[in-house]
Amino acid sequence: MTSMKCIIVDDEPLAREGIELNIQDMSSLELVGEFANAIAANDFLAQNDVDLMFLDVQMPGMTGLDFLRTLNKKPLVIMTTAYPEYALEGFELDVIDYLVKPIRLERFVKAVNKAQEIHSLYQVKDNNTVESISSEFIYIKSERKYIRIFFKDILYIKGLKDYVMLHTTKEKVMTAMNIKTINAQLPSSMFVRISKSYIINIHYVDFVDQDFIQVAGEEIPLGKTYKEDFINNYIKTNLIQRG
């Protein structure tokens, strides 16, 4: 397993030091730069290959979220902040995970493992294509195999740039297709798009709160522009009314 080249972008020296210490304990990470502001990080990204960026939200001059919006080609991103209210906006910008300061080691490791998994799938992404879609299943070509995935086994689908990752009850498969295209081919009776980056299988919804939907134990962000339609079409129509 190749290590991921990563950078830290945070205006707080103690915060950078804490993340650096965690990085040193993980063989899957190689720290190649630390920056106190978005401008310095932007200059480095323009000249160097970076796989993963630990990015603070609140920084002087340009916030982490505003910085992400400026990047045409960005690495995988794990947000770090003392303000959990920015989590939903971060997820809508395709961040991998969102760590609230002070960062617990177990949450740091979980976020890095998630990034490593996606990074590994990117290495073989060019060999994956959608071959066919039927009324009950989809075929994905992965290297030299054709993988049949039943719709009923898909928990949710996450959009990653020009690719989508299908999270199923058995495995995770990435394919070169944008989320809009695959959403148009999925049965609407089973699947619903709930944000810019996520499609969920409604049969696996555990509960819905203000900003997130829990699907098979995973919290999925509910996008503001999709929220009203989801509530009206999938919640209110199945809500038990008081007598």
Side-chain angles (χ1 to χ4, degrees):
M1 181 175 63
T2 59
S3 61
M4 292 184 292
K5 294 181 179 180
C6 64
I7 63 173
I8 304 168
V9 187
D10 197 312
D11 64 304
E12 299 176 10
L14 287 178
R16 294 198 304 272
E17 182 180 350
I19 294 174
E20 180 180 357
L21 289 174
N22 287 340
I23 289 172
Q24 290 174 356
D25 289 335
M26 301 200 68
S27 61
S28 60
L29 298 178
E30 176 190 354
L31 183 62
V32 295
E34 295 183 37
F35 308 95
N37 58 72
I39 300 300
N42 184 70
D43 292 341
F44 186 84
L45 288 173
Q47 302 294 328
N48 299 273
D49 292 328
V50 174
D51 301 310
L52 176 64
M53 176 166 59
F54 294 93
L55 179 63
D56 186 27
V57 172
Q58 293 285 42
M59 295 185 294
M62 183 185 298
T63 70
L65 294 173
D66 287 339
F67 177 42
L68 278 184
R69 294 187 184 97
T70 69
L71 295 176
N72 293 323
K73 182 181 179 182
K74 59 177 178 281
L76 299 174
V77 177
I78 295 175
M79 301 295 297
T80 62
T81 183
Y83 305 94
E85 62 267 24
Y86 292 106
L88 181 60
E89 190 173 359
F91 281 122
E92 290 186 337
L93 291 171
D94 297 333
V95 303
I96 298 303
D97 209 338
Y98 194 96
L99 300 177
V100 178
K101 300 175 183 178
I103 300 171
R104 304 192 316 273
L105 180 59
E106 63 270 23
R107 277 293 290 119
F108 182 86
V109 172
K110 181 178 179 180
V112 170
N113 287 343
K114 189 184 301 184
Q116 180 65 55
E117 183 177 41
I118 294 172
H119 176 67
S120 298
L121 288 170
Y122 275 154
Q123 308 310 303
V124 297
K125 63 183 180 294
D126 291 336
N127 295 318
N128 294 349
T129 58
V130 174
E131 291 298 314
S132 65
I133 297 178
S134 77
S135 60
E136 295 183 356
F137 54 83
I138 185 174
Y139 267 108
I140 300 291
K141 185 179 181 182
S142 178
E143 298 181 348
R144 299 182 180 180
K145 298 182 296 184
Y146 292 89
I147 302 175
R148 183 176 65 173
I149 302 174
F150 283 90
F151 290 136
K152 64 181 179 61
D153 292 332
I154 298 174
L155 304 174
Y156 62 91
I157 299 170
K158 177 174 174 56
L160 297 162
K161 299 178 182 178
D162 294 324
Y163 298 85
V164 293
M165 184 187 294
L166 287 77
H167 294 249
T168 79
T169 56
K170 302 175 182 178
E171 59 189 336
K172 299 173 185 177
V173 180
M174 182 177 286
T175 186
M177 175 182 284
N178 64 53
I179 195 167
K180 181 179 179 180
T181 300
I182 196 169
N183 185 55
Q185 300 182 68
L186 295 171
S188 59
S189 60
M190 187 179 298
F191 295 93
V192 57
R193 189 172 180 180
I194 63 164
S195 73
K196 175 185 174 184
S197 303
Y198 284 94
I199 299 169
I200 65 169
N201 185 333
I202 60 173
H203 295 163
Y204 289 99
V205 172
D206 299 323
F207 62 81
V208 180
D209 67 11
Q210 190 68 19
D211 296 316
F212 291 87
I213 300 175
Q214 181 165 301
V215 178
E218 290 288 330
E219 280 194 349
I220 310 295
L222 177 58
K224 294 178 182 177
T225 58
Y226 297 83
K227 183 175 181 178
E228 184 176 353
D229 285 343
F230 176 77
I231 295 296
N232 289 336
N233 296 329
Y234 292 91
I235 301 300
K236 290 185 177 179
T237 56
N238 295 290
L239 187 66
I240 297 177
Q241 301 295 333
R242 295 182 178 179

